[in-house]
Amino acid sequence: MTKKRVWPAVIVVGIVLTGLTVAQAADRSSVAVAVQEFKFAPPALTVRAGTTVTWTNHDEETHTVTSATGAFASAGLGHEEGFSETFTRPGRYEYFCALHPHMKATVIVR
């Protein structure tokens, strides 16, 4: 009888582990960048093609996320507002805050 009870437990463990693998893969398809203390954190980020990057402004001041080449640009982001961009092509994407040009960072897509 104990052998019959072990199989359902093995099946449940397998389902849970499969769920974790799917969740981990999903985590890789989205990445968060904090806008805080007049900085982008992290200042350099490497992601795979197809990844969505979401910036959230934690400062009280308004900031933007503006591509140096015009590939993407957010409107002004107020406190706790966000902006997302999905990077589909490999390359180096430098960006800055249009309101505070000293704030610069890079997304590298592989």
Side-chain angles (χ1 to χ4, degrees), residues 44-55:
L45 177 65
T46 301
V47 299
R48 289 192 276 181
T51 300
T52 299
V53 177
T54 300
W55 291 264

Side-chain angles (χ1 to χ4, degrees), residues 10-87:
V10 170
I11 292 169
V12 168
V13 169
I15 291 170
V16 169
L17 291 177
T18 301
L20 289 175
T21 303
V22 170
Q24 289 169 348
D27 287 346
R28 292 183 194 155
S29 66
S30 63
V31 177
V33 174
V35 183
Q36 192 166 359
E37 298 177 5
F38 288 81
K39 297 177 191 164
F40 294 105
L45 177 65
T46 301
V47 299
R48 289 192 276 181
T51 300
T52 299
V53 177
T54 300
W55 291 264
T56 302
N57 179 14
H58 299 295
D59 281 344
E60 295 294 329
E61 292 289 327
T62 300
H63 295 294
T64 72
V65 179
T66 306
S67 164
T69 63
F72 56 89
S74 73
L77 302 175
H79 181 69
E80 298 305 322
E81 290 184 327
F83 169 75
S84 295
E85 178 71 20
T86 300
F87 293 88

